[in-house]
Amino acid sequence: MATFGLVHGAGHGAWCWEHLIPALQALGHRAWAVDLPCEDPEAGCLRYAEAVDRALPAADDLLLVGHSLGGLTIPLVAARRSVRTLVFLCALVPLFGRSLLDQVAAEPGIYDSVQRGHPGRITDPDGATWLRDEGTARDIFYHDCAPDDVRRAFARLKRQAAAPRREACPLSAWPPGERAYILCREDRAISPAWSRRVAGERLGVEPIELGGSHSPFIAQPTVLAAVLDRLAR
């Protein structure tokens, strides 16, 4: 049995793991999902890491899964406490000393073309982002999810403040522990080609590839749970 800490991406919440948690429990694992203060304009990844650290139980077998924007937070948690494995799921990966805005300015192709050019993805004057309607959410995040799941997910999405994108990563080296990357080949948010490259260049690992969208915890939770179970074992 292992302990999984589940860290959501931009605009989401602990609710997004509701299909994955029972699938992990059925395999004998413990799983905890954390709500991040994504609407707080003052909260960057350091604050997110504090929230994760407070929410998770003490464990010496912790696998920390960071989805999408959550990939910037999980290494900061591992700098605060023992983490056995950092699992980047369709995730951004930090560059030490640089912000996400710095990264995107240098590499616009981090984001898939669907997300980059979608008219329903709105950026407010303060830099916060949100999705205009359910169709936008389906196109970018959930295109292979059941219609009822898309409807429920969109109803719970929040405005994502800009602070995590503006905050430079304070790390100068990876914390102790193993690293893994899981990408989805039809991801329309984070570019699969970029994910393949940075998995090797920054994490030193060969990515695990799944079919499907940016949200395998909704679209294919049993498949994702089986992959995480193999990583735990």
Side-chain angles (χ1 to χ4, degrees):
M1 181 184 77
T3 301
F4 285 91
L6 306 174
V7 181
H8 65 78
H12 285 66
W15 58 264
C16 74
W17 306 102
E18 63 190 3
H19 298 316
L20 180 65
I21 288 173
L24 287 171
Q25 291 171 335
L27 295 170
H29 302 296
R30 299 192 301 166
W32 301 74
V34 181
D35 270 315
L36 301 178
C38 59
E39 293 183 292
D40 183 346
E42 305 300 321
C45 293
L46 282 167
R47 285 268 303 280
Y48 287 10
E50 293 171 3
V52 174
D53 189 25
R54 285 195 305 270
L56 295 181
D60 58 7
D61 60 349
L62 178 62
L63 286 83
L64 200 55
V65 182
H67 177 245
S68 199
L69 186 66
L72 302 183
T73 293
I74 58 173
L76 304 182
V77 180
R80 299 171 60 92
R81 63 185 291 166
S82 175
V83 174
R84 178 177 146 196
T85 307
L86 293 174
V87 183
F88 294 81
L89 174 62
C90 303
L92 299 164
V93 179
L95 268 179
F96 305 145
R98 307 292 296 276
S99 71
L100 178 57
L101 290 181
D102 292 335
Q103 287 196 57
V104 173
E107 296 183 88
I110 290 174
Y111 293 123
D112 183 79
S113 59
V114 173
Q115 171 158 280
R116 284 202 312 271
H118 203 293
R121 183 177 184 270
I122 309 301
T123 302
D124 287 339
D126 64 358
T129 57
W130 52 281
L131 303 184
R132 177 180 291 155
D133 52 35
E134 185 180 312
T136 300
R138 181 188 60 245
D139 291 348
I140 298 174
F141 292 151
Y142 314 122
H143 71 266
D144 61 344
C145 299
D148 284 348
D149 285 332
V150 177
R151 198 169 303 118
R152 285 194 296 269
F154 174 70
R156 291 182 282 186
L157 288 177
K158 301 176 184 176
R159 189 172 178 266
Q160 174 61 53
R165 301 197 306 275
R166 293 172 173 163
E167 184 180 81
C169 177
L171 300 178
S172 57
W174 289 107
E178 298 179 353
R179 298 181 291 274
Y181 197 106
I182 303 170
L183 66 84
C184 288
R185 288 186 290 270
E186 288 80 52
D187 193 334
R188 297 177 179 177
I190 306 298
S191 164
W194 179 84
S195 295
R196 287 188 191 96
R197 180 170 60 80
V198 300
E201 289 181 357
R202 298 188 197 172
L203 303 178
V205 301
E206 187 72 22
I208 299 164
E209 299 201 15
L210 304 178
S213 72
H214 190 58
S215 304
F217 40 83
I218 296 176
Q220 47 183 336
T222 57
V223 172
L224 178 57
V227 171
L228 294 173
D229 178 64
R230 289 197 295 273
L231 289 174
R233 295 176 189 278

